[in-house]
Amino acid sequence: WLWILFFVSGSIWTYASWMRHQSFKSGFDMAIFTQAVWNTTQGSFLYSSIKGGICLLGDHFSPLLALFALPYVLCPKPETLLLLQAFAAASGVFPLYRLAHKKTGDSVWAVCVILAFCLYLPLRNSVRFEFHPEIAAIPLLLWGYVFLTENKLWRASLMLALALSAKENIAPVTFTFGIYALFSRGKIFSFFWMIFSAFYFFLVTRVWIPAISGQEYFYLSGNFTAWKEAGTGPFIKHLFNAGTL
């Protein structure tokens, strides 16, 4: 059942995203990432003329994106990225099954958990919506959590580091892993990931991305700056209204 759900989900998600692309629903992001991966195979590392003639690491810091260029060489089409994304997300069934089976001691319940994972609407929508390298962080974060619960801290750290390379905003998630570990696992692991995640996010957004792009990090301006200008009152009102909850 584990392998069946993996292949069926990966295939359905590939087909759904492929149909969306074939019906001209793909947009700006699909074009940016496809061009950057193709350019990487041609020797121009993650270069995007669409994004203003920069290396994409100057927009979002996603070095993991470069790994997609390896299979892309074999079949240089946008659909290749959609297939890789779908099966990367579907591979989350393996760590999740391992975790669920360990917690429940019952393979039937564990299969039910991964079935819920495969049917989870936000997951399906994120896979169907064009190509984004951060989708690959899903199984990596799940493996990180599995290894953390098994007290295999070096393996957990490796998975978190790979997940962090998918996009800079994974850093708050790895920071939260550190908080969780503070109450359940090793203190060294906990403090390392809290400190490293915060430092990494600061370094990427304040130093590396501006150095590569020649501009300030753009993506804090939409939400962070707006709430900073609005003040505490509107933020609290937004946070605790019925729609937000």
Side-chain angles (χ1 to χ4, degrees):
W1 280 107
L2 178 63
W3 284 96
I4 288 173
L5 285 171
F6 167 69
F7 282 115
V8 169
S9 296
S11 299
I12 291 174
W13 295 345
T14 299
Y15 180 73
S17 57
W18 177 77
M19 285 297 292
R20 184 179 183 275
H21 181 67
Q22 289 295 313
S23 58
F24 301 101
K25 297 292 178 61
S26 293
F28 199 53
D29 286 357
M30 187 74 197
I32 291 170
F33 289 122
T34 303
Q35 187 201 36
V37 172
W38 186 85
N39 280 335
T40 300
T41 66
Q42 304 302 306
S44 299
F45 186 74
L46 297 181
Y47 175 79
S48 172
S49 63
I50 303 172
K51 199 64 181 176
I54 63 169
C55 170
L56 274 192
L57 297 185
D59 181 49
H60 282 300
F61 199 78
S62 305
L64 189 70
L65 177 62
L67 293 181
F68 287 90
L70 299 176
Y72 193 82
V73 171
L74 302 176
C75 187
K77 296 182 178 181
E79 292 84 355
T80 301
L81 297 179
L82 298 176
L83 181 145
L84 293 170
Q85 173 176 260
F87 278 93
S91 70
V93 302
F94 298 109
L96 194 58
Y97 178 86
R98 181 162 161 172
L99 178 67
H101 190 270
K102 180 182 177 182
K103 294 293 183 181
T104 64
D106 189 312
S107 58
V108 175
W109 276 112
V111 169
C112 289
V113 169
I114 63 171
L115 180 60
F117 170 81
C118 293
L119 294 174
Y120 186 50
L121 183 60
L123 174 65
R124 292 188 284 119
N125 282 343
S126 65
V127 175
R128 186 175 61 88
F129 181 61
E130 307 185 11
F131 170 83
H132 294 87
E134 60 266 32
I135 298 298
I138 294 171
L140 295 171
L141 290 170
L142 287 171
W143 276 118
Y145 183 72
V146 168
F147 289 138
L148 182 57
T149 61
E150 295 176 354
N151 213 34
K152 298 175 180 176
L153 302 184
W154 283 106
R155 293 184 185 183
S157 291
L158 176 60
M159 293 297 106
L160 295 186
L162 288 172
L164 201 56
S165 71
K167 198 173 183 180
E168 72 281 353
N169 62 1
I170 302 294
V173 183
T174 58
F175 182 89
T176 310
F177 268 81
I179 296 175
Y180 171 80
L182 184 64
F183 298 99
S184 60
R185 302 292 161 181
K187 297 294 188 292
I188 295 177
F189 178 94
S190 171
F191 288 123
F192 172 80
W193 275 104
M194 284 193 288
I195 294 170
F196 179 75
S197 298
F199 177 72
Y200 179 85
F201 187 76
F202 175 83
L203 190 65
V204 166
T205 59
R206 296 298 185 184
V207 180
W208 291 348
I209 287 179
I212 295 170
S213 67
Q215 299 177 347
E216 292 296 314
Y217 180 63
F218 172 75
Y219 295 98
L220 284 179
S221 61
N223 294 311
F224 175 77
T225 306
W227 286 119
K228 188 176 179 182
E229 292 174 354
T232 307
F235 176 75
I236 292 175
K237 184 178 179 181
H238 166 77
L239 197 62
F240 292 103
N241 72 52
T244 303
L245 295 174

